[in-house]
Amino acid sequence: MTGIAWHLGVLCGLQRAGVPLGDADTIIGTSAGSVVGAILAAGTDLEAAVALQQQEQERTGGGRRGRDTGAAMAAMAVLADPSVPPREARARVGEFALAASTVDEQAYLARMEPLLPVHEWPARDLRVLVVDTADGQDVLLGAASGVPLLKAISASCAVPGLMPPVTIDGRRYMDGGVRFGAGADLAAGAERLVVIAPLAWLGRDRIVAEMTASGAAKTLLIEPDAAALEAFGRDFMDPAARPASVRAGLRQGTELAEAVRAVW
């Protein structure tokens, strides 16, 4: 939740500074980025989206009501173990995700629906990354996949241990973030590549390697600075942290405008 808020703030801050990224030929969204990617690809008013994030403080009264993310972070730690092959590690996390799921899948989809500005794939090229719980295979979904947008994004956001894997064509899919990195290599062939990664600190070296693998002539990684990480707090699923996170994103978007302009 904090990642979505910060990400929207960055995009809006860049837009205010005259560097909109909504004109990208291709938008690849992973986890929180899949929600933000859909918002951007659909041409949703970023100012309105940011305003909604800032209103959260009033709704919650400033109280924390997130969930325990310890189990999810423990699952992610498996992915950082260099002794385990990446796909095997993802399969192990998939087993955990299936066993730990206590939330009804349909109820989860119903909670995700209000987050999306549209319910059909946008005309702009939007791709959403998910991971198969059975074998750890990463899958990139788009309009041509025939998968409903809600299911694709819900699967990409299904954090192991917090949300249930989503059923698509008889298989169960989980958070695209389980692939680790940021999926930047999936933009192979791009001329210009901007990566916005709320959890870059979990795998910065891998993200940089992905960006290099894309072959893009111009690249830029945008990640939370120290003040933004402080705004996130320790619970990345806490709705009450949205206002501070979106403000941090707005500030960074404005500060990074010239760096992005040089690439974009």
Side-chain angles (χ1 to χ4, degrees), residues 7-23 39-51 196 222 249-258 260-261 264:
H7 206 150
L8 287 171
V10 168
L11 289 169
C12 189
L14 288 171
Q15 179 176 274
R16 290 177 180 179
V19 194
L21 294 184
D23 59 350
I39 290 172
L40 192 64
T44 303
D45 183 351
L46 288 176
E47 293 286 354
V50 162
I196 305 178
I222 297 176
L250 286 166
R251 173 184 52 76
Q252 280 197 264
T254 301
E255 293 173 352
L256 293 170
E258 290 310 310
V260 175
R261 196 189 311 275
W264 205 246

Side-chain angles (χ1 to χ4, degrees), residues 12-97:
C12 189
L14 288 171
Q15 179 176 274
R16 290 177 180 179
V19 194
L21 294 184
D23 59 350
D25 294 312
T26 299
I27 298 170
I28 299 174
T30 301
S31 198
S34 68
V35 175
V36 177
I39 290 172
L40 192 64
T44 303
D45 183 351
L46 288 176
E47 293 286 354
V50 162
L52 285 175
Q53 299 293 321
Q54 292 175 319
Q55 291 170 10
E56 184 64 33
Q57 187 74 22
E58 181 179 338
R59 292 197 294 269
T60 62
R64 300 183 69 83
R65 54 181 180 85
R67 282 177 280 186
D68 181 8
T69 57
M73 295 308 292
M76 290 298 180
V78 175
L79 305 170
D81 186 345
S83 68
V84 182
R87 187 162 169 180
E88 179 183 334
R90 295 196 294 265
R92 290 185 187 181
V93 173
E95 291 181 4
F96 167 79

Side-chain angles (χ1 to χ4, degrees), residues 3 6 10 196-201 204 222-230 232 248 251-252 256:
W6 173 80
V10 168
I196 305 178
L199 292 178
W201 56 275
R204 184 176 296 103
I222 297 176
E223 59 183 302
D225 58 15
L229 290 175
E230 183 177 354
F232 289 2
R251 173 184 52 76
Q252 280 197 264
L256 293 170

Side-chain angles (χ1 to χ4, degrees), residues 98-131:
L98 291 170
S101 177
T102 59
V103 179
D104 178 74
E105 183 178 334
Q106 294 306 312
Y108 168 54
L109 291 172
R111 289 205 303 271
M112 287 294 294
E113 189 170 11
L115 295 179
L116 305 184
V118 293
H119 296 98
E120 301 294 332
W121 288 89
R124 190 171 295 281
D125 184 12
L126 171 66
R127 307 175 192 181
V128 174
L129 183 62
V130 300
V131 173

